Structures are given as structure tokens and as C-alpha cells.
């Protein structure tokens, strides 16, 4: 296969992948992401401009593989992106390197390794003079990990710090890749942290706000709606769980986040295994599970 050699071509590939992921999600973007990585190849890097462009491409492909639950592939791509980002003279807090570490920290927490996630987040937060948005993102990563570790007060402090940083207006020092970190994103992660600590009422309120925020967010944010359904099922709030699952069922065919689809499946399983579940809610859970099986059987586009 012919390798893409020019920096402009690598950047074009990256922009196409970002647009596809934002609009459709990882389920539909992962094939294109892996093909882009193969196209660029792993040959020698000629200069810092090419190094930076390749690092960004590998990071985007790694993120997409993560949201597609292709974790081994995602980790390999992230490590290659780190190698590239750290190998040139353009390294620094505003480059892609912190973004790679932000996703690696989230992946570690997602895979049940919150201690490792916290170590990554803490190592970045220990750096001097971080841009505000970057610091806020890593405070969120730390807060999520601390919540999973049962360290509620520390998790709360980290998430409050993230909220305070987000209240500050963006500056020229904030990297372009931080565009997705906004109030709904923060509320969603606050909700997941509260759920990890067992505060299901607070978690449901925060996740509802994130899931129903005005405006168009990235496609993966359907995850917050899926997590809302799971929290409601955990709480035994069958009426609200029924509503949340019914909304999700209509969206399943277009959901591109494999992470979100799997959370939907866990929500449906909680309902089916629940006690004193109204027949209507149990039926909704079964219909959702059936829709998820159909989606899993559909070949990627």
C-alpha cells in the first residue's frame, strides 16, 4: 500500500476522521481510522512537522478504537502517539501529548484500573503552568478515579476545581483539541463519579442534565443517556428507567459509541434481573436488548 508522505495529507486524514467520529461515532469510524493508520505507515519521520501530524492522527485513531471498545488496539496507537509527541522539539502542554494521556487515564478507569488512572492524572497535574482547560480535564480524570477508589471527599474537591477552571473564559493557551470540554461534559462525568460513590439520586440528576443539554455535542455523548438508564435501574426507579430505555431504544440503530451500546445492555440486564419490576418496564428492557442484538449483528459501514 502506498504511504501518505506529506504533512498536508496526514492532516486531511485526521480532519476527516474527527468529522466522522463527531457526526457518527466510533462504530462507524473505527474501520476508517485503522485504514488511515495503515495508509500513513510506520516509516521514519523526517521532521517535527511530520512528527506532530502523525502523532495527532494516531491519537484520533486511538480515541476511536477506545470508543469502539477495541482496547488493545487503542493502547498500541496511544503509545505510538505518545512516542511521536515526545520525540520532537515541539513537545509541551499545548501539544497532543496531554490529550493522549487524558484518554489513557479514562481508559484505565473504564477498564477497572482507577489507581493507574489516578497516577496518570496526577503526573500531569503536577506539571507547572498547565493551560486552564487542560488542568480541568485532568481534575475530572482524577475525580473519576478517586470516586472509583471510594475517596469521595477528594473526588468532590477535584471535580469542584474542574468546575471552577471551566468557569474561567478560554485563553489562547488552551489547546484546540480541548473544544469538547464544556459544561455538559463536566456534568456527565460528575454524574458518573456520584454513581461510583453510590449517590444515585445526585448521579441521575447530573446525567439527565448532560444527556438533555441543548446543542449538538459529539456522538459519543449518548453514553450519558445510557448511563442515566443504568443508574435509574440500579436505583430501582422503574418508571424513569422505562422512559430512559424507551428513548434509547429508538436511537440504537444510529448509535456509534460501542461503549454506550454496552452500557445500554447492562441497564436492560439490571431491569430483567430486578425484583418487583412492572411488566411494562420489563418489556421495554427486553425490546431494548433485542434492538441491541440486532445492532451487534449489523456489519460496520
Amino acid at each position: 500500500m502506498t504511504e501518505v508522505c506529506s504533512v498536508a495529507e496526514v492532516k486531511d486524514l485526521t480532519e476527516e476522521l474527527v468529522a466522522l467520529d463527531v457526526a457518527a461515532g466510533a462504530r462507524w469510524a473505527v474501520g476508517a481510522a485503522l485504514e488511515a493508520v495503515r495508509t500513513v505507515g510506520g516509516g521514519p519521520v523526517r521532521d517535527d512537522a511530520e512528527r506532530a501530524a502523525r502523532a495527532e492522527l494516531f491519537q484520533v485513531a486511538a480515541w476511536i478504537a477506545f470508543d469502539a471498545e477495541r482496547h488493545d488496539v487503542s493502547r498500541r496507537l496511544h503509545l505510538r502517539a505518545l512516542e511521536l509527541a515526545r520525540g520532537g522539539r515541539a513537545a509541551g502542554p499545548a501539544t497532543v501529548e496531554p490529550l493522549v494521556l487524558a484518554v489513557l487515564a479514562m481508559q484505565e478507569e473504564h477498564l477497572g484500573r482507577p489507581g493507574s488512572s489516578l497516577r496518570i492524572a496526577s503526573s500531569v497535574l503536577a506539571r507547572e503552568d498547565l493551560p486552564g482547560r487542560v488542568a480541568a480535564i485532568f481534575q475530572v480524570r482524577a475525580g473519576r478515579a478517586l470516586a472509583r477508589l471510594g475517596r469521595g471527599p477528594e473526588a468532590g474537591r477535584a471535580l469542584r476545581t474542574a468546575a471552577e477552571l471551566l468557569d474561567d473564559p478560554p485563553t489562547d493557551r488552551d489547546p484546540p483539541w480541548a473544544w469538547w470540554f464544556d459544561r455538559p461534559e463536566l456534568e456527565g462525568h460528575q454524574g458518573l463519579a456520584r454513581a461510583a460513590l453510590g449517590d444515585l439520586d445526585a448521579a441521575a440528576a447530573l446525567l439527565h442534565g448532560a444527556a438533555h443539554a441543548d446543542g449538538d455535542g459529539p456522538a459519543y455523548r449518548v453514553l450519558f443517556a445510557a448511563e442515566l438508564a443504568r443508574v435509574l435501574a440500579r436505583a430501582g426507579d422503574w418508571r424513569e428507567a422505562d422512559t430512559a430505555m424507551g428513548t434509547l431504544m429508538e436511537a440504537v440503530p444510529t448509535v456509534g459509541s460501542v461503549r454506550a451500546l454496552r452500557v445500554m445492555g447492562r441497564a436492560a440486564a439490571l431491569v430483567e434481573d430486578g425484583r418487583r419490576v412492572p411488566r411494562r418496564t420489563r418489556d421495554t428492557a427486553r425490546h431494548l436488548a433485542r434492538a441491541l442484538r440486532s445492532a451487534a449483528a449489523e456489519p460496520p459501514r
Side-chain angles (χ1 to χ4, degrees):
M1 180 177 293
T2 302
E3 291 185 358
V4 173
C5 294
S6 76
V7 170
E9 287 175 301
V10 175
K11 288 184 174 181
D12 286 346
L13 275 174
T14 302
E15 290 177 4
E16 290 169 9
L17 287 179
V18 170
L20 180 59
D21 181 56
V22 169
R27 187 170 164 227
W28 311 125
V30 67
L34 299 182
E35 180 62 24
V37 168
R38 286 191 291 268
T39 299
V40 170
V45 181
R46 294 171 298 186
D47 53 37
D48 278 353
E50 185 173 315
R51 185 183 300 277
R54 288 195 183 193
E56 187 173 8
L57 174 67
F58 274 81
Q59 188 284 318
V60 170
W63 155 260
I64 291 170
F66 164 66
D67 199 34
E69 298 272 17
R70 301 279 297 275
H71 294 294
D72 289 344
V73 172
S74 175
R75 185 170 182 80
R76 288 197 298 273
L77 293 173
H78 269 127
L79 293 177
R80 177 57 177 152
L82 272 182
E83 180 184 10
L84 288 162
R86 290 170 169 171
R89 294 186 296 275
T95 69
V96 74
E97 187 248 13
L99 178 56
V100 177
L101 292 173
V103 182
L104 278 172
M106 182 163 59
Q107 185 176 41
E108 289 295 280
E109 192 275 338
H110 177 69
L111 295 175
R113 298 190 286 262
S116 175
S117 176
L118 182 59
R119 284 191 292 274
I120 294 170
S122 299
S123 71
V124 178
L125 290 170
R127 299 177 183 181
E128 295 183 0
D129 202 28
L130 283 176
R133 286 294 190 272
V134 174
I137 289 166
F138 281 95
Q139 290 289 353
V140 167
R141 297 293 181 263
R144 289 282 309 277
L146 288 162
R148 283 287 294 272
L149 292 166
R151 294 160 61 178
E154 293 171 85
R157 283 195 293 274
L159 291 166
R160 284 193 296 274
T161 300
E164 291 166 3
L165 289 165
L166 185 59
D167 283 340
D168 293 335
T171 71
D172 292 341
R173 296 184 61 246
D174 293 313
W177 55 254
W179 64 269
W180 46 267
F181 186 72
D182 56 13
R183 187 60 55 179
E185 184 80 15
L186 175 62
E187 285 189 352
H189 286 287
Q190 288 173 322
L192 291 171
R194 297 316 308 173
L197 291 165
D199 187 355
L200 300 183
D201 288 343
L206 287 160
L207 288 166
H208 187 276
H212 296 89
D214 293 333
D216 295 327
Y220 71 81
R221 281 194 186 162
V222 70
L223 176 71
F224 295 142
E227 291 284 7
L228 173 61
R230 179 161 66 164
V231 164
L232 293 168
R234 281 179 60 193
D237 189 342
W238 304 127
R239 179 179 176 181
E240 292 300 323
D242 183 84
T243 300
M245 288 188 301
T247 301
L248 290 170
M249 190 162 48
E250 297 173 3
V252 164
T254 61
V255 169
S257 170
V258 178
R259 284 187 301 152
L261 291 171
R262 291 187 178 178
V263 172
M264 292 179 202
R266 294 181 193 118
L270 283 170
V271 172
E272 292 203 56
D273 293 341
R275 300 177 62 186
R276 298 180 181 175
V277 180
R279 179 178 298 177
R280 172 178 170 174
T281 305
R282 200 178 294 278
D283 286 345
T284 300
R286 289 171 179 162
H287 290 316
L288 176 58
R290 191 176 302 121
L292 291 167
R293 287 193 293 271
S294 296
E298 184 180 346
R301 292 193 290 224

